[in-house]
Amino acid sequence: MKKKDVPLDKATKERFQKEQLLAESGLNHKEEYAAEIAAPSRKISNAEQYKIRKPERIESRSDVSDEEVENLVEAVTRNKAVGYVALFVALASLFVWPVLLGISGIVLGVIAFLMGNKGLGSWSIALGFIAVAAYFLLVPYYA
């Protein structure tokens, strides 16, 4: 007698059918969901620092006056203006008067870099240097 020929009782048949349905439906992964339903083990006691503070406290702590803030905004705007002028001069040096505008772009780029505009200053220095170097490398071929 083979294993297939053995008649199964009703409970075993139902168990096999249930397992087959679970496997086909994708619900038989045996995953653990304890983290979603478990209660927290302790209270968070350090939450005070994350609470929203009232605006009165923030304003009373401020030692910076409105005039100082305006002066800082003007200084930052001035620094960006120097950086953009330096970049414009360096770009122009690629097309017109490479030595004069290239050196000017390098100098203005250094000034912009020292004033805090690192990106614009670096680009201005690099483009000015490229314009001057290209001029001195290419002039012998065209003279």
Side-chain angles (χ1 to χ4, degrees), residues 74-86 112 115-117 120:
E74 287 177 19
V76 168
T77 306
R78 195 176 325 118
N79 292 350
K80 282 195 176 194
V82 171
Y84 284 117
V85 168
M115 290 178 97
N117 258 339
L120 289 172

Side-chain angles (χ1 to χ4, degrees), residues 15 17 23 26 38 45 53-54 64-65 72 79 94 126 130 141:
R15 185 172 48 91
Q17 288 175 349
S45 60
R53 295 190 177 123
K54 295 180 182 176
V64 181
S65 68
L72 288 172
N79 292 350
L94 294 172
I130 289 170
Y141 293 113

Side-chain angles (χ1 to χ4, degrees), residues 23-131:
E24 289 175 1
S25 65
L27 298 174
N28 197 20
H29 295 297
K30 298 182 181 176
E31 294 177 357
E32 203 172 302
Y33 296 101
E36 286 83 3
I37 60 173
S41 60
R42 62 180 175 86
K43 276 185 149 182
I44 299 173
S45 60
N46 296 331
E48 292 297 323
Q49 61 185 347
Y50 299 110
K51 287 186 179 177
I52 298 174
R53 295 190 177 123
K54 295 180 182 176
E56 301 89 42
R57 292 183 189 173
I58 295 172
E59 289 177 12
S60 64
R61 291 184 186 179
S62 177
D63 296 335
V64 181
S65 68
D66 292 337
E67 293 174 7
E68 291 175 335
V69 170
E70 289 176 12
N71 290 339
L72 288 172
V73 169
E74 287 177 19
V76 168
T77 306
R78 195 176 325 118
N79 292 350
K80 282 195 176 194
V82 171
Y84 284 117
V85 168
L87 186 63
F88 176 75
V89 169
L91 282 172
S93 71
L94 294 172
F95 304 106
V96 182
W97 304 325
V99 176
L100 179 68
L101 290 179
I103 293 173
S104 300
I106 292 171
V107 170
L108 286 172
V110 169
I111 292 170
F113 189 86
L114 294 176
M115 290 178 97
N117 258 339
K118 307 272 188 226
L120 289 172
S122 299
W123 277 102
S124 301
I125 293 168
L127 289 175
F129 181 73
I130 289 170

Side-chain angles (χ1 to χ4, degrees), residues 14-28:
E14 287 178 1
R15 185 172 48 91
F16 284 141
Q17 288 175 349
K18 185 179 177 185
E19 286 178 4
Q20 184 65 29
L21 285 173
L22 287 173
E24 289 175 1
S25 65
L27 298 174
N28 197 20

